[in-house]
Amino acid sequence: MEGPADILPSTLKKSVVDAKLLLVGAGGIGCEVLKNLVLSGFKNIEVIDLDTIDVSNLNRQFLFQRQHVGKSKAKVACEAALGFNPSVTLKAHHDSVMSQEYGVNFFKGFTLVLNALDNRAARNHVNRMCLAAQVPLVESGTAGYLGQVTVIKRGVTECYECQPKPAQKTFPGCTIRNTPSEPIHCIVWAKHLFNQLFGEADPDEDVSPDTADPELTGDAAGSAALSEPAREDGNVERVSTRGWAAQNDYEPRKLFRKLFNDDIRYLLTMDKLWQKRRPPTPLDWDTLPDAVAGSSSSSASDSSLSDQRLWPPAECAAVLERAVGRLKEQLAARPAGDHLVWDKDDENGMDFVAACANLRAHCFGIRLNTRFTIKSMAGNIIPAIATTNAIIAAMVVFEAFKLLEGRLDDCKTVYLNRQPNARKRLLVPCVLEKPNPKCYVCAEKPEVTVRLDVSQMKLQALEERVLKAALNMVAPDAELLDGRGTILISSEEGETAANAPRTLAELGVRDGARLRCDDFLQNYELIVNIVNSTELPDGQEFEVVGDASQLQPAAPAPAPADGEAGPSSADAGGSAAANGSGNGAGKATTTVDDDDDLVCLSEGEDGTGTDGEVPTATTTVGTPAAKRPAQSDQGTPPAKKRRALSGSESPEVIEL
Amino acid sequence: MSASPASNPKSPDISEKNKKYDRQLRLWGDHGQAALESASVCLINATATGTETLKSLVLAGLGSFTIVDGKIATAEDIGNNFFLPSDCAGESRGRSACRLLLELNPDVRGQHVEQPLERLLDTEPDRLQAFSVVVATELTDSCLSRLSEVLWSHNVPLLVARSYGLVGSIRLQVREHLVVESHPDPDSVVADLRLLQPFPALAAFCDSQQLEAMDRAAHGHTPFLVLLYKALQRWRDEHDGAPPSGYREKKQFKETLQQFRLRTADGVPELEENFDEAERAVNTLLTPPSVPEAVRTLFASQQCNSLTAKSDDFWVLVKALHEYVENEGEGLLPVRGPIPDMFSDSDRYIQLQNIYREEARRGADQVQRRVHLLLESLGRPSDVITEEQVRHFCRNTHALRVFEGTAVQQELRHLRLPANEMAAHLQNPESEMVIYAMLRAAERFRSEYSTAPGAEDDQVETDVIKLKACLSRLLSDWGCQNTIKDDYVQEFCRYGGSELHTVAALIGGCAAHEVIKLVTGQYAPIDNTFIYNGISSSSAVFRL
Ligand SMILES: [Zn+2]
């Protein structure tokens, strides 16, 4: 092959030929990067991706075609690239990069790692693996028209986790189960309901009325929650939702009656909840409105697409009936004990969630949404297009070239703007930041502070929700630094299972305790400082604070500045970020689905998707404080403030 | 009213196509997608930059494309271009690329014309006017100049995309581009909810809300617009009818607002989120509405004031809008319709939504009547501009923009920028204008010697001297001294005129982005030259 590499300086040309690269992700950015690498003279590339190809990938992931739907992305991408240039050595792994097989030694085998990922958990993990293996990492992401590329090198630059990311928004279980007030609450409830009925039932995702709602405690608890209400179907409470549905053969009208009538009536008996709220209205199948309140027929016909038309409640019930019937068949077709997995691109699962979310919203007097909008909120859909991916993928390869030439000093964080900024720049390069000495990942001796209630939190929750979900460990061990070296959690099967249901207090963990947590796979050791707190905001179970000096006396979240954001702004995790805390997790959390090219996650809270405006998932904006532009005449970097925008506008800067 | 739902099981069939385009429909909407699907793009020369541009458009569902290319694929083309199969050496470059590009998306039609652009320009230049956009790569200055002239005269946008070693550029030539949805920065858009000049339906709704008579739940769920309306009434009573203006008065106004809050028995204000919302909105929503500057410029423009039968629909709409503002609009644009999310029970929120939507429709209907009259007076059928078009236009009055471009042909002949301004750019070694000058000099070299500088390995030394001479003459034409470092001349000779695939991919991505903006009429296009410098990962936009 002649041509392409001739432009490169000869030293770089040699490094390109000799380099062995790991490409993590074969989605929108990954396909483009792979093509660029193969056409740039790279000879040795491994590609890893867990995903299979979906129809909705085809508008940009050009290595895939209709006949590849359902196949491994990594494999098909490698085959397509080999077809172009058979002399390249390509290896595909259809696997999760977080699997135990890919340890530090695996990562050490590469000259560079290129991330083309779609979710924060995997990005955090690869970040740690590259830090441990001392391999430079090129990180990238896109969201709609926006994109970003950066370079991470241990000890020299910021790591992916040096700056706290805005917390993924979570909702207290009682809001979801008892007192929804926004469409997203109903959507989360509907997704939980799907899992209860057809999916993997998670006790944290209960959908029935919650009698342990903190608002019911104190003298108010008595009235409803504790007294057995008069219910026609008697002992529903003692059977799981799934069991109940199975007993009733998933009969849609019975399901409807339980969910939107009986359960709502039961909620109404908790009168304390409705003293300041508008109480919900139980629904009757036969008297549902068949028109959307207030919308005239002509606006409904503006959009011929049925998923962009607002379904009136009666139609929601009809959709529910059909979807339940089909899902029941799908479930029956599985081996006994198996379950369905909710997927936003599965028609029946999505119909089910859209219909249930709207029916619940109708009960609670919350505004209904179109299936199109609900899909973007339920699936955390970040818009994605070929052009942005092409631009960002090219930038990834340029940064890789510089690393191979040993020009780390010239590497940049580059942002792609939607339109040229005030300084007429579409691409804005910024110098790489130095590592944060207090980073709880890449610091010499990483430490982190976690606020929680030691008398409430069980060890199992500490492992699953704090160490794994929030601090992103894969298989942690934990030792209490009490002078005796008490082992709390062992990653060896069964060794510490007996501890799981006990509270931290019972295990001797008190305010000020230090836990040494260790993840063998990530080669990562972290000291967790426990701060006992019984007053966490918003029903949160715990709060991760970067370091103890950030612990302020408990203060309410700051109100948005005057005029800064309009009344429609969805404050998606913004205050947590402004407080400098890392990740907070509520009791019951929204399931975050990874979409390809996804840059930062937050639930979409579309503002005014009326009159044909294009609703877009809200993207949480966050940029590490003030990035220094690389050039003196650069002017202001893309944005300095953290805020969330709603409506059809995307933010200027994305969070990788 | 209560038809049994089962009797009405409309199937929400989501077509395969909508699934495929789901992620982009969320950016440009169905109407944007429809515009893309009815667009046809012509690519001149199937270079790597050219096919990378088409790739992104074909994936997105472009209607059709035509490749004009008289060249035969060489080994270098194939090594550089993902859409040329390894066995196509010696075959038509355009045909091979066309075939592989079509494999990307069965919805797209594509064809190729196996002749050089020069011949097409000689024999049937009018064929070019059928395209929505023409993307040109790998053209000599003289050929580009001819193409520019033809497309300018037909008002067909031309996008010149170039990748050259580690640098690249895009030049957009568009005589007049009309944008209905420019998607301005939301911070710069003042929500026009007419609180200071409430229309009758809004006033009637707000007047019907008896805050004193409400229970606690209803009070706390009253939309904040109503609260602002009530507080404004009280304020006006106390201030001779004048609304609060300026920081101080708005601060005082917030106190007036507080008076409406519920209080506990001992006088402590209750927590009511709707009041918090109202307070936050005081600064933005109590600004007197006015016609934005950009729209007033449109009203004053010559195209608006001298309509002919051939005027673009856009100008007919602008004229109708202007007449509306002068008459029944009483100096204001029609209400746009959408209202922000707010803390409210859904009944009243929906009522408010409908009130604004109805008012927006009333305004749009009045604009539409004027559109009909204008079309009639121009001798055109009154249905050429649809109701949907008028509504879409009226919803976007805050985002209307017009771009007037400059011709590439002119640019090649003489410099638009004052010489001293250009000299200042060129003296800054980091300025992307240096790259522009180098690209122009390299093209001049190609025109004079029929080859790219440095294309032959044994000629590099002499080419450096020749290219430097080309550069000096170019700069002297511009009235500038040659302040550009020799390093750049050396570097450009090293490129030998080759495309580096990664630069082609980047420029192709940017070019496709611009084509999508042009055909959808959404977002502001580049005005008018984008320069990318891969040596420093930087870029800039200049108007040339
Ligand atoms: Zn770090």
Side-chain angles (χ1 to χ4, degrees), chain A residues 158-159 161-162 436 439 441-443:
Chain A
E158 264 186 356
C159 83
E161 295 169 86
C162 270
N436 170 6
C439 173
V441 175
C442 71

Side-chain angles (χ1 to χ4, degrees), chain A residues 7 35 66 322 365 562 608, chain B residues 12 16 52 254 339 346 494:
Chain A
I7 298 164
K35 176 207 68 182
R66 188 66 190 80
R322 190 187 54 220
D562 260 358
T608 50
Chain B
E16 177 87 0
E52 289 293 313
K254 286 180 189 170
I339 59 172
S346 63
R494 199 168 60 73

Side-chain angles (χ1 to χ4, degrees), chain A residues 597-612:
Chain A
D597 320 327
L598 189 89
V599 178
C600 78
L601 299 169
S602 75
E603 89 297 336
E605 210 166 332
D606 169 54
T608 50
T610 53
D611 267 325

